[in-house]
Amino acid sequence: QVQLVESGGGLVQAGGPLRLSCAASGTVSRISAMSWYRQAPGKQRELVAIITRDDRINYAQSVKGRFTISRDNARNTVYLQADSLQPEDTAVYYCNVGGFDYSGTFTNYWGQGTQVTVSS
């Protein structure tokens, strides 16, 4: 079982930055892809950014050039540096991690979510 603890959300003015962190702990043999999703009120959850274990990265078009995803494999932690935030970035941000246990079983894990609110 893996637990994900997110931090770094909050209230920020438009144009400002935030840095989100998500640390994975528990019984896991290997963590594969790590990603961030977000869900705004009344909208579906959407992928923001994903990073594979060998650092291949993809971003949603809406955040390209403003957000940066990175990971620290030694700490089983994924980060999201969000710059030039806009009101439309307001959402609950969720960490998602894929992990293999020692029997080779793959499981997808979700964090509890952290609120990001951007004021205009």
Side-chain angles (χ1 to χ4, degrees):
Q1 192 71 11
V2 172
Q3 295 79 42
L4 302 179
V5 177
E6 301 168 6
S7 60
L11 174 65
V12 64
Q13 287 191 332
L18 275 179
R19 181 176 169 87
L20 307 182
S21 300
C22 172
S25 62
T27 304
V28 61
S29 171
R30 183 171 63 89
I31 288 178
S32 58
M34 307 179 85
S35 54
W36 289 95
Y37 285 73
R38 68 185 181 186
Q39 187 167 19
K43 294 188 177 181
Q44 288 189 331
R45 190 172 298 190
E46 63 173 354
L47 177 66
V48 175
I50 184 168
I51 181 168
T52 65
R53 189 169 181 85
D54 57 354
D55 290 338
R56 286 175 294 163
I57 292 172
N58 274 302
Y59 295 101
Q61 190 64 37
S62 59
V63 307
K64 276 185 180 179
R66 300 187 298 122
F67 290 14
T68 303
I69 190 171
S70 61
R71 63 189 285 170
D72 183 337
N73 290 330
R75 290 181 170 83
N76 288 337
T77 300
V78 61
Y79 305 96
L80 185 70
Q81 177 67 41
D83 295 321
S84 301
L85 282 160
Q86 300 301 315
E88 52 265 35
D89 295 315
T90 295
V92 177
Y93 284 69
Y94 296 91
C95 170
N96 178 272
V97 168
F100 292 88
D101 64 21
Y102 289 95
S103 71
T105 300
F106 178 84
T107 304
N108 221 16
Y109 298 95
W110 289 94
Q112 79 281 4
T114 185
Q115 177 70 45
V116 171
T117 303
V118 185
S119 64
S120 57

